[in-house]
Amino acid sequence: MKSVPYRAQFSAYVLAMMADNVEHVISYWVVFQKFHSPALAGFAVLSHWLPFLFFSVAVGGLADRYDPRRIIQCGMLLFMVASAGWGVFFLTDTLQMWHAMLLLVIHGCAGVLWQTPNQLLLYDIVGPADLPSAVRLNAMARYLGILVGPAMGGIIMLALGPSHGIIVNTLFYLPMLLWLFWAPARDKSQAVKRFAVRGLADIVQTIRDIATQRVLTSMTLLAGLTSFMIGNAYHAQMPGFAGDLGHGDPGVSYSVLLAADAAGAVLAAIALEAWGRLRPTPRTAIALAILWALSLLAFASSRIYAVTIALLFAAGFFELSFNTMAQALVQINAPADSRGRVVGLFNMAGLGMRAFSGITVGLAGAAIGIHWSLGLSAATLLVCLAVLYGRTARPG
């Protein structure tokens, strides 16, 4: 990507995503040490994803109506408030459970103020021609943040302690916050209708608006199905998978499995960007999602360490591939006057529905075992994706 503004956005995005994950590492560790509460851990997951379910379309509507740069800056400020808040409570040793819950909600709301407007900002920066490339690279930036964040969080916590470390973490949000003052603005000639933000009515209206547009409906359904059935819930079960493999130290195995998944995603972004010949179509995106589900189905049944690593690498590769393709298709095909709402609906399906994957994979895993729960979820998803592929392949 030759765009200078995009390169600046990419760098700032990596740092902000890293800071997001550093905060998770430090705050989750201290909260676990203080409260030892599985219920609070469950609340942390819900508070992270439910804001996307409830507010993605509304935030998209705001990004249609107002400058998305300013909305992202509000998100960055909330991230900084959350990190600084943790630091103050850690320093004074006054953290109570309701404090933790409030900060977790603030962090979740910061995320929803960031992601949908950021996708609209990509469109403003690079335009429709380079959008698939920008979406892929931003997804790679996300995974780089996920890869680097935990390691950086551990280093910061060891060097500065959790209290000072999480306060220092606020500085990593500053590049994005400051760069947005000089980021390219939306082309005023493309700003058409500005609808009022109406909450739930916006969701219903957006669904009606895209109902006759096959690309938008199929990609939104794809995002919702994959997130509801599996999402990233298997990441939380990874320590269990690592222990079941019985290959050396479970902690090392756990780290290797997570790294394999993330490395596959990073390689997918590099390979697709370098090759550039995989034309984004709904059928291709669904086919890649089918390969992702097959990889996870095989992973759930594998007991051979080397094969398991290879399957997770493949899963990471296919996940980034279909997610970025679906996102690019939605942004390119969304009507100009409601792009924010349509992208918000896609994020509501793709991110908000992840809150329920804890039921399909997580709670079911407690009842029937994590291998069976992930395997059955993947098998069910395969059936749904096959139906969706068939419907998308029909002419008309």
Side-chain angles (χ1 to χ4, degrees), residues 252-288:
V252 175
S253 296
Y254 167 63
S255 300
V256 171
L257 293 179
L258 284 179
D261 188 65
V266 172
L267 180 64
I270 295 172
L272 292 172
E273 186 66 17
W275 187 33
R277 295 182 181 178
L278 191 62
R279 194 168 75 89
T281 68
R283 293 182 68 184
T284 303
I286 297 169
L288 290 167

PDB file of all heavy atoms in Angstrom, residues 252-288:
ATOM      1  N   VAL A 252       3.695 -24.094  27.558  1.00  0.00           N
ATOM      2  CA  VAL A 252       4.400 -23.889  26.290  1.00  0.00           C
ATOM      3  C   VAL A 252       3.507 -24.302  25.120  1.00  0.00           C
ATOM      4  O   VAL A 252       3.416 -23.611  24.110  1.00  0.00           O
ATOM      5  CB  VAL A 252       5.722 -24.689  26.273  1.00  0.00           C
ATOM      6  CG1 VAL A 252       6.387 -24.575  24.902  1.00  0.00           C
ATOM      7  CG2 VAL A 252       6.654 -24.189  27.365  1.00  0.00           C
ATOM      8  N   SER A 253       2.826 -25.446  25.274  1.00  0.00           N
ATOM      9  CA  SER A 253       1.926 -25.912  24.214  1.00  0.00           C
ATOM     10  C   SER A 253       0.818 -24.893  23.950  1.00  0.00           C
ATOM     11  O   SER A 253       0.455 -24.633  22.801  1.00  0.00           O
ATOM     12  CB  SER A 253       1.297 -27.254  24.604  1.00  0.00           C
ATOM     13  OG  SER A 253       2.282 -28.254  24.720  1.00  0.00           O
ATOM     14  N   TYR A 254       0.294 -24.324  25.014  1.00  0.00           N
ATOM     15  CA  TYR A 254      -0.755 -23.304  24.888  1.00  0.00           C
ATOM     16  C   TYR A 254      -0.268 -22.110  24.079  1.00  0.00           C
ATOM     17  O   TYR A 254      -0.930 -21.644  23.152  1.00  0.00           O
ATOM     18  CB  TYR A 254      -1.186 -22.878  26.294  1.00  0.00           C
ATOM     19  CG  TYR A 254      -2.029 -21.625  26.374  1.00  0.00           C
ATOM     20  CD1 TYR A 254      -3.281 -21.571  25.774  1.00  0.00           C
ATOM     21  CD2 TYR A 254      -1.576 -20.508  27.060  1.00  0.00           C
ATOM     22  CE1 TYR A 254      -4.058 -20.424  25.856  1.00  0.00           C
ATOM     23  CE2 TYR A 254      -2.343 -19.364  27.155  1.00  0.00           C
ATOM     24  CZ  TYR A 254      -3.586 -19.325  26.545  1.00  0.00           C
ATOM     25  OH  TYR A 254      -4.345 -18.194  26.621  1.00  0.00           O
ATOM     26  N   SER A 255       0.927 -21.618  24.405  1.00  0.00           N
ATOM     27  CA  SER A 255       1.491 -20.469  23.697  1.00  0.00           C
ATOM     28  C   SER A 255       1.730 -20.793  22.226  1.00  0.00           C
ATOM     29  O   SER A 255       1.463 -19.966  21.344  1.00  0.00           O
ATOM     30  CB  SER A 255       2.808 -20.037  24.353  1.00  0.00           C
ATOM     31  OG  SER A 255       2.600 -19.662  25.701  1.00  0.00           O
ATOM     32  N   VAL A 256       2.213 -22.005  21.955  1.00  0.00           N
ATOM     33  CA  VAL A 256       2.493 -22.404  20.572  1.00  0.00           C
ATOM     34  C   VAL A 256       1.193 -22.489  19.767  1.00  0.00           C
ATOM     35  O   VAL A 256       1.133 -22.062  18.604  1.00  0.00           O
ATOM     36  CB  VAL A 256       3.244 -23.746  20.535  1.00  0.00           C
ATOM     37  CG1 VAL A 256       3.339 -24.281  19.109  1.00  0.00           C
ATOM     38  CG2 VAL A 256       4.646 -23.582  21.115  1.00  0.00           C
ATOM     39  N   LEU A 257       0.130 -23.027  20.363  1.00  0.00           N
ATOM     40  CA  LEU A 257      -1.143 -23.151  19.664  1.00  0.00           C
ATOM     41  C   LEU A 257      -1.712 -21.778  19.319  1.00  0.00           C
ATOM     42  O   LEU A 257      -2.185 -21.547  18.194  1.00  0.00           O
ATOM     43  CB  LEU A 257      -2.141 -23.942  20.503  1.00  0.00           C
ATOM     44  CG  LEU A 257      -1.821 -25.430  20.736  1.00  0.00           C
ATOM     45  CD1 LEU A 257      -2.890 -26.084  21.599  1.00  0.00           C
ATOM     46  CD2 LEU A 257      -1.691 -26.174  19.419  1.00  0.00           C
ATOM     47  N   LEU A 258      -1.690 -20.853  20.274  1.00  0.00           N
ATOM     48  CA  LEU A 258      -2.176 -19.495  20.002  1.00  0.00           C
ATOM     49  C   LEU A 258      -1.332 -18.813  18.932  1.00  0.00           C
ATOM     50  O   LEU A 258      -1.852 -18.131  18.041  1.00  0.00           O
ATOM     51  CB  LEU A 258      -2.152 -18.663  21.283  1.00  0.00           C
ATOM     52  CG  LEU A 258      -3.250 -18.925  22.319  1.00  0.00           C
ATOM     53  CD1 LEU A 258      -3.041 -18.025  23.529  1.00  0.00           C
ATOM     54  CD2 LEU A 258      -4.629 -18.704  21.728  1.00  0.00           C
ATOM     55  N   ALA A 259      -0.008 -19.019  19.015  1.00  0.00           N
ATOM     56  CA  ALA A 259       0.892 -18.402  18.042  1.00  0.00           C
ATOM     57  C   ALA A 259       0.646 -18.962  16.643  1.00  0.00           C
ATOM     58  O   ALA A 259       0.716 -18.229  15.651  1.00  0.00           O
ATOM     59  CB  ALA A 259       2.343 -18.621  18.454  1.00  0.00           C
ATOM     60  N   ALA A 260       0.352 -20.263  16.538  1.00  0.00           N
ATOM     61  CA  ALA A 260       0.096 -20.876  15.230  1.00  0.00           C
ATOM     62  C   ALA A 260      -1.134 -20.264  14.577  1.00  0.00           C
ATOM     63  O   ALA A 260      -1.138 -19.956  13.375  1.00  0.00           O
ATOM     64  CB  ALA A 260      -0.073 -22.388  15.391  1.00  0.00           C
ATOM     65  N   ASP A 261      -2.187 -20.061  15.360  1.00  0.00           N
ATOM     66  CA  ASP A 261      -3.419 -19.463  14.844  1.00  0.00           C
ATOM     67  C   ASP A 261      -3.162 -18.038  14.349  1.00  0.00           C
ATOM     68  O   ASP A 261      -3.579 -17.655  13.252  1.00  0.00           O
ATOM     69  CB  ASP A 261      -4.478 -19.480  15.943  1.00  0.00           C
ATOM     70  CG  ASP A 261      -5.851 -19.050  15.442  1.00  0.00           C
ATOM     71  OD1 ASP A 261      -6.426 -19.761  14.610  1.00  0.00           O
ATOM     72  OD2 ASP A 261      -6.342 -18.001  15.890  1.00  0.00           O
ATOM     73  N   ALA A 262      -2.461 -17.261  15.150  1.00  0.00           N
ATOM     74  CA  ALA A 262      -2.183 -15.870  14.785  1.00  0.00           C
ATOM     75  C   ALA A 262      -1.215 -15.796  13.603  1.00  0.00           C
ATOM     76  O   ALA A 262      -1.365 -14.956  12.710  1.00  0.00           O
ATOM     77  CB  ALA A 262      -1.618 -15.119  15.984  1.00  0.00           C
ATOM     78  N   ALA A 263      -0.197 -16.689  13.593  1.00  0.00           N
ATOM     79  CA  ALA A 263       0.777 -16.672  12.499  1.00  0.00           C
ATOM     80  C   ALA A 263       0.116 -17.006  11.168  1.00  0.00           C
ATOM     81  O   ALA A 263       0.458 -16.438  10.124  1.00  0.00           O
ATOM     82  CB  ALA A 263       1.903 -17.663  12.796  1.00  0.00           C
ATOM     83  N   GLY A 264      -0.849 -17.939  11.173  1.00  0.00           N
ATOM     84  CA  GLY A 264      -1.577 -18.259   9.952  1.00  0.00           C
ATOM     85  C   GLY A 264      -2.325 -17.054   9.416  1.00  0.00           C
ATOM     86  O   GLY A 264      -2.364 -16.813   8.203  1.00  0.00           O
ATOM     87  N   ALA A 265      -2.895 -16.264  10.319  1.00  0.00           N
ATOM     88  CA  ALA A 265      -3.624 -15.070   9.905  1.00  0.00           C
ATOM     89  C   ALA A 265      -2.683 -14.028   9.309  1.00  0.00           C
ATOM     90  O   ALA A 265      -2.991 -13.415   8.276  1.00  0.00           O
ATOM     91  CB  ALA A 265      -4.366 -14.487  11.104  1.00  0.00           C
ATOM     92  N   VAL A 266      -1.539 -13.828   9.944  1.00  0.00           N
ATOM     93  CA  VAL A 266      -0.582 -12.844   9.430  1.00  0.00           C
ATOM     94  C   VAL A 266      -0.071 -13.269   8.056  1.00  0.00           C
ATOM     95  O   VAL A 266       0.030 -12.456   7.130  1.00  0.00           O
ATOM     96  CB  VAL A 266       0.592 -12.666  10.419  1.00  0.00           C
ATOM     97  CG1 VAL A 266       1.685 -11.799   9.803  1.00  0.00           C
ATOM     98  CG2 VAL A 266       0.100 -12.037  11.723  1.00  0.00           C
ATOM     99  N   LEU A 267       0.229 -14.572   7.903  1.00  0.00           N
ATOM    100  CA  LEU A 267       0.699 -15.054   6.605  1.00  0.00           C
ATOM    101  C   LEU A 267      -0.379 -14.883   5.534  1.00  0.00           C
ATOM    102  O   LEU A 267      -0.079 -14.557   4.378  1.00  0.00           O
ATOM    103  CB  LEU A 267       1.109 -16.523   6.695  1.00  0.00           C
ATOM    104  CG  LEU A 267       1.616 -17.142   5.383  1.00  0.00           C
ATOM    105  CD1 LEU A 267       2.898 -16.457   4.936  1.00  0.00           C
ATOM    106  CD2 LEU A 267       1.843 -18.641   5.522  1.00  0.00           C
ATOM    107  N   ALA A 268      -1.644 -15.086   5.909  1.00  0.00           N
ATOM    108  CA  ALA A 268      -2.734 -14.911   4.946  1.00  0.00           C
ATOM    109  C   ALA A 268      -2.759 -13.480   4.419  1.00  0.00           C
ATOM    110  O   ALA A 268      -2.914 -13.262   3.205  1.00  0.00           O
ATOM    111  CB  ALA A 268      -4.074 -15.247   5.613  1.00  0.00           C
ATOM    112  N   ALA A 269      -2.605 -12.508   5.312  1.00  0.00           N
ATOM    113  CA  ALA A 269      -2.612 -11.111   4.879  1.00  0.00           C
ATOM    114  C   ALA A 269      -1.449 -10.829   3.933  1.00  0.00           C
ATOM    115  O   ALA A 269      -1.616 -10.175   2.901  1.00  0.00           O
ATOM    116  CB  ALA A 269      -2.550 -10.186   6.092  1.00  0.00           C
ATOM    117  N   ILE A 270      -0.273 -11.341   4.282  1.00  0.00           N
ATOM    118  CA  ILE A 270       0.908 -11.115   3.433  1.00  0.00           C
ATOM    119  C   ILE A 270       0.743 -11.800   2.085  1.00  0.00           C
ATOM    120  O   ILE A 270       1.001 -11.217   1.028  1.00  0.00           O
ATOM    121  CB  ILE A 270       2.176 -11.621   4.150  1.00  0.00           C
ATOM    122  CG1 ILE A 270       2.433 -10.796   5.423  1.00  0.00           C
ATOM    123  CG2 ILE A 270       3.381 -11.546   3.216  1.00  0.00           C
ATOM    124  CD1 ILE A 270       3.551 -11.339   6.282  1.00  0.00           C
ATOM    125  N   ALA A 271       0.296 -13.068   2.113  1.00  0.00           N
ATOM    126  CA  ALA A 271       0.168 -13.844   0.878  1.00  0.00           C
ATOM    127  C   ALA A 271      -0.893 -13.249  -0.043  1.00  0.00           C
ATOM    128  O   ALA A 271      -0.664 -13.094  -1.251  1.00  0.00           O
ATOM    129  CB  ALA A 271      -0.169 -15.296   1.213  1.00  0.00           C
ATOM    130  N   LEU A 272      -2.050 -12.912   0.503  1.00  0.00           N
ATOM    131  CA  LEU A 272      -3.117 -12.363  -0.322  1.00  0.00           C
ATOM    132  C   LEU A 272      -2.746 -10.991  -0.879  1.00  0.00           C
ATOM    133  O   LEU A 272      -3.107 -10.643  -1.998  1.00  0.00           O
ATOM    134  CB  LEU A 272      -4.412 -12.267   0.490  1.00  0.00           C
ATOM    135  CG  LEU A 272      -5.039 -13.612   0.883  1.00  0.00           C
ATOM    136  CD1 LEU A 272      -6.208 -13.391   1.837  1.00  0.00           C
ATOM    137  CD2 LEU A 272      -5.494 -14.388  -0.343  1.00  0.00           C
ATOM    138  N   GLU A 273      -2.006 -10.219  -0.081  1.00  0.00           N
ATOM    139  CA  GLU A 273      -1.578  -8.895  -0.535  1.00  0.00           C
ATOM    140  C   GLU A 273      -0.541  -9.023  -1.644  1.00  0.00           C
ATOM    141  O   GLU A 273      -0.576  -8.285  -2.635  1.00  0.00           O
ATOM    142  CB  GLU A 273      -0.984  -8.117   0.653  1.00  0.00           C
ATOM    143  CG  GLU A 273      -0.636  -6.682   0.353  1.00  0.00           C
ATOM    144  CD  GLU A 273      -1.856  -5.827   0.059  1.00  0.00           C
ATOM    145  OE1 GLU A 273      -2.978  -6.239   0.385  1.00  0.00           O
ATOM    146  OE2 GLU A 273      -1.673  -4.741  -0.514  1.00  0.00           O
ATOM    147  N   ALA A 274       0.390  -9.979  -1.492  1.00  0.00           N
ATOM    148  CA  ALA A 274       1.445 -10.159  -2.490  1.00  0.00           C
ATOM    149  C   ALA A 274       0.895 -10.776  -3.773  1.00  0.00           C
ATOM    150  O   ALA A 274       1.293 -10.401  -4.885  1.00  0.00           O
ATOM    151  CB  ALA A 274       2.551 -11.039  -1.917  1.00  0.00           C
ATOM    152  N   TRP A 275      -0.039 -11.723  -3.631  1.00  0.00           N
ATOM    153  CA  TRP A 275      -0.584 -12.426  -4.797  1.00  0.00           C
ATOM    154  C   TRP A 275      -1.602 -11.550  -5.523  1.00  0.00           C
ATOM    155  O   TRP A 275      -1.495 -11.298  -6.707  1.00  0.00           O
ATOM    156  CB  TRP A 275      -1.201 -13.756  -4.352  1.00  0.00           C
ATOM    157  CG  TRP A 275      -1.637 -14.643  -5.477  1.00  0.00           C
ATOM    158  CD1 TRP A 275      -1.043 -14.752  -6.707  1.00  0.00           C
ATOM    159  CD2 TRP A 275      -2.762 -15.517  -5.488  1.00  0.00           C
ATOM    160  NE1 TRP A 275      -1.718 -15.665  -7.481  1.00  0.00           N
ATOM    161  CE2 TRP A 275      -2.777 -16.152  -6.755  1.00  0.00           C
ATOM    162  CE3 TRP A 275      -3.746 -15.843  -4.568  1.00  0.00           C
ATOM    163  CZ2 TRP A 275      -3.757 -17.074  -7.111  1.00  0.00           C
ATOM    164  CZ3 TRP A 275      -4.714 -16.773  -4.902  1.00  0.00           C
ATOM    165  CH2 TRP A 275      -4.712 -17.384  -6.159  1.00  0.00           C
ATOM    166  N   GLY A 276      -2.593 -11.099  -4.768  1.00  0.00           N
ATOM    167  CA  GLY A 276      -3.567 -10.150  -5.288  1.00  0.00           C
ATOM    168  C   GLY A 276      -4.453 -10.650  -6.407  1.00  0.00           C
ATOM    169  O   GLY A 276      -5.032  -9.853  -7.141  1.00  0.00           O
ATOM    170  N   ARG A 277      -4.578 -11.960  -6.579  1.00  0.00           N
ATOM    171  CA  ARG A 277      -5.373 -12.488  -7.684  1.00  0.00           C
ATOM    172  C   ARG A 277      -6.666 -13.161  -7.226  1.00  0.00           C
ATOM    173  O   ARG A 277      -7.424 -13.640  -8.058  1.00  0.00           O
ATOM    174  CB  ARG A 277      -4.546 -13.498  -8.490  1.00  0.00           C
ATOM    175  CG  ARG A 277      -3.348 -12.870  -9.197  1.00  0.00           C
ATOM    176  CD  ARG A 277      -2.610 -13.890 -10.017  1.00  0.00           C
ATOM    177  NE  ARG A 277      -1.450 -13.299 -10.680  1.00  0.00           N
ATOM    178  CZ  ARG A 277      -0.594 -13.987 -11.433  1.00  0.00           C
ATOM    179  NH1 ARG A 277      -0.774 -15.290 -11.616  1.00  0.00           N
ATOM    180  NH2 ARG A 277       0.442 -13.381 -11.988  1.00  0.00           N
ATOM    181  N   LEU A 278      -6.872 -13.227  -5.916  1.00  0.00           N
ATOM    182  CA  LEU A 278      -8.090 -13.865  -5.415  1.00  0.00           C
ATOM    183  C   LEU A 278      -9.201 -12.821  -5.404  1.00  0.00           C
ATOM    184  O   LEU A 278      -9.296 -11.998  -4.499  1.00  0.00           O
ATOM    185  CB  LEU A 278      -7.858 -14.427  -4.008  1.00  0.00           C
ATOM    186  CG  LEU A 278      -8.958 -15.347  -3.459  1.00  0.00           C
ATOM    187  CD1 LEU A 278      -9.096 -16.593  -4.336  1.00  0.00           C
ATOM    188  CD2 LEU A 278      -8.640 -15.755  -2.031  1.00  0.00           C
ATOM    189  N   ARG A 279     -10.037 -12.857  -6.438  1.00  0.00           N
ATOM    190  CA  ARG A 279     -11.075 -11.832  -6.589  1.00  0.00           C
ATOM    191  C   ARG A 279     -12.125 -11.984  -5.500  1.00  0.00           C
ATOM    192  O   ARG A 279     -12.644 -13.084  -5.283  1.00  0.00           O
ATOM    193  CB  ARG A 279     -11.738 -11.949  -7.963  1.00  0.00           C
ATOM    194  CG  ARG A 279     -12.571 -10.737  -8.338  1.00  0.00           C
ATOM    195  CD  ARG A 279     -12.962 -10.784  -9.794  1.00  0.00           C
ATOM    196  NE  ARG A 279     -14.012 -11.755 -10.048  1.00  0.00           N
ATOM    197  CZ  ARG A 279     -15.319 -11.480  -9.973  1.00  0.00           C
ATOM    198  NH1 ARG A 279     -15.708 -10.257  -9.636  1.00  0.00           N
ATOM    199  NH2 ARG A 279     -16.207 -12.392 -10.237  1.00  0.00           N
ATOM    200  N   PRO A 280     -12.448 -10.897  -4.792  1.00  0.00           N
ATOM    201  CA  PRO A 280     -13.440 -11.002  -3.720  1.00  0.00           C
ATOM    202  C   PRO A 280     -14.852 -11.184  -4.267  1.00  0.00           C
ATOM    203  O   PRO A 280     -15.373 -10.322  -4.971  1.00  0.00           O
ATOM    204  CB  PRO A 280     -13.313  -9.673  -2.973  1.00  0.00           C
ATOM    205  CG  PRO A 280     -12.718  -8.723  -3.956  1.00  0.00           C
ATOM    206  CD  PRO A 280     -11.871  -9.544  -4.873  1.00  0.00           C
ATOM    207  N   THR A 281     -15.451 -12.325  -3.966  1.00  0.00           N
ATOM    208  CA  THR A 281     -16.853 -12.598  -4.312  1.00  0.00           C
ATOM    209  C   THR A 281     -17.507 -13.280  -3.117  1.00  0.00           C
ATOM    210  O   THR A 281     -16.817 -13.899  -2.297  1.00  0.00           O
ATOM    211  CB  THR A 281     -16.971 -13.527  -5.533  1.00  0.00           C
ATOM    212  OG1 THR A 281     -16.482 -14.836  -5.182  1.00  0.00           O
ATOM    213  CG2 THR A 281     -16.191 -13.001  -6.724  1.00  0.00           C
ATOM    214  N   PRO A 282     -18.834 -13.197  -2.993  1.00  0.00           N
ATOM    215  CA  PRO A 282     -19.506 -13.872  -1.879  1.00  0.00           C
ATOM    216  C   PRO A 282     -19.230 -15.372  -1.851  1.00  0.00           C
ATOM    217  O   PRO A 282     -19.011 -15.946  -0.781  1.00  0.00           O
ATOM    218  CB  PRO A 282     -20.987 -13.574  -2.141  1.00  0.00           C
ATOM    219  CG  PRO A 282     -20.988 -12.268  -2.872  1.00  0.00           C
ATOM    220  CD  PRO A 282     -19.773 -12.335  -3.752  1.00  0.00           C
ATOM    221  N   ARG A 283     -19.238 -16.035  -3.005  1.00  0.00           N
ATOM    222  CA  ARG A 283     -19.007 -17.480  -3.029  1.00  0.00           C
ATOM    223  C   ARG A 283     -17.600 -17.821  -2.562  1.00  0.00           C
ATOM    224  O   ARG A 283     -17.396 -18.805  -1.852  1.00  0.00           O
ATOM    225  CB  ARG A 283     -19.250 -18.017  -4.445  1.00  0.00           C
ATOM    226  CG  ARG A 283     -20.693 -17.931  -4.897  1.00  0.00           C
ATOM    227  CD  ARG A 283     -20.884 -18.509  -6.284  1.00  0.00           C
ATOM    228  NE  ARG A 283     -20.675 -19.946  -6.282  1.00  0.00           N
ATOM    229  CZ  ARG A 283     -20.702 -20.705  -7.383  1.00  0.00           C
ATOM    230  NH1 ARG A 283     -20.928 -20.144  -8.554  1.00  0.00           N
ATOM    231  NH2 ARG A 283     -20.511 -21.998  -7.305  1.00  0.00           N
ATOM    232  N   THR A 284     -16.617 -17.015  -2.957  1.00  0.00           N
ATOM    233  CA  THR A 284     -15.240 -17.262  -2.509  1.00  0.00           C
ATOM    234  C   THR A 284     -15.128 -17.088  -1.000  1.00  0.00           C
ATOM    235  O   THR A 284     -14.476 -17.887  -0.313  1.00  0.00           O
ATOM    236  CB  THR A 284     -14.265 -16.307  -3.218  1.00  0.00           C
ATOM    237  OG1 THR A 284     -14.394 -16.461  -4.635  1.00  0.00           O
ATOM    238  CG2 THR A 284     -12.832 -16.603  -2.813  1.00  0.00           C
ATOM    239  N   ALA A 285     -15.742 -16.044  -0.459  1.00  0.00           N
ATOM    240  CA  ALA A 285     -15.700 -15.806   0.987  1.00  0.00           C
ATOM    241  C   ALA A 285     -16.332 -16.973   1.744  1.00  0.00           C
ATOM    242  O   ALA A 285     -15.795 -17.432   2.757  1.00  0.00           O
ATOM    243  CB  ALA A 285     -16.414 -14.499   1.329  1.00  0.00           C
ATOM    244  N   ILE A 286     -17.476 -17.464   1.260  1.00  0.00           N
ATOM    245  CA  ILE A 286     -18.149 -18.583   1.934  1.00  0.00           C
ATOM    246  C   ILE A 286     -17.310 -19.851   1.816  1.00  0.00           C
ATOM    247  O   ILE A 286     -17.203 -20.634   2.774  1.00  0.00           O
ATOM    248  CB  ILE A 286     -19.557 -18.793   1.349  1.00  0.00           C
ATOM    249  CG1 ILE A 286     -20.418 -17.558   1.598  1.00  0.00           C
ATOM    250  CG2 ILE A 286     -20.225 -20.021   1.973  1.00  0.00           C
ATOM    251  CD1 ILE A 286     -21.727 -17.550   0.833  1.00  0.00           C
ATOM    252  N   ALA A 287     -16.680 -20.062   0.655  1.00  0.00           N
ATOM    253  CA  ALA A 287     -15.822 -21.239   0.483  1.00  0.00           C
ATOM    254  C   ALA A 287     -14.645 -21.205   1.462  1.00  0.00           C
ATOM    255  O   ALA A 287     -14.278 -22.235   2.050  1.00  0.00           O
ATOM    256  CB  ALA A 287     -15.315 -21.305  -0.955  1.00  0.00           C
ATOM    257  N   LEU A 288     -14.055 -20.035   1.647  1.00  0.00           N
ATOM    258  CA  LEU A 288     -12.958 -19.900   2.615  1.00  0.00           C
ATOM    259  C   LEU A 288     -13.440 -20.156   4.040  1.00  0.00           C
ATOM    260  O   LEU A 288     -12.730 -20.754   4.860  1.00  0.00           O
ATOM    261  CB  LEU A 288     -12.345 -18.508   2.505  1.00  0.00           C
ATOM    262  CG  LEU A 288     -11.537 -18.232   1.232  1.00  0.00           C
ATOM    263  CD1 LEU A 288     -11.260 -16.742   1.078  1.00  0.00           C
ATOM    264  CD2 LEU A 288     -10.228 -19.016   1.248  1.00  0.00           C
TER     265      LEU A 288
END
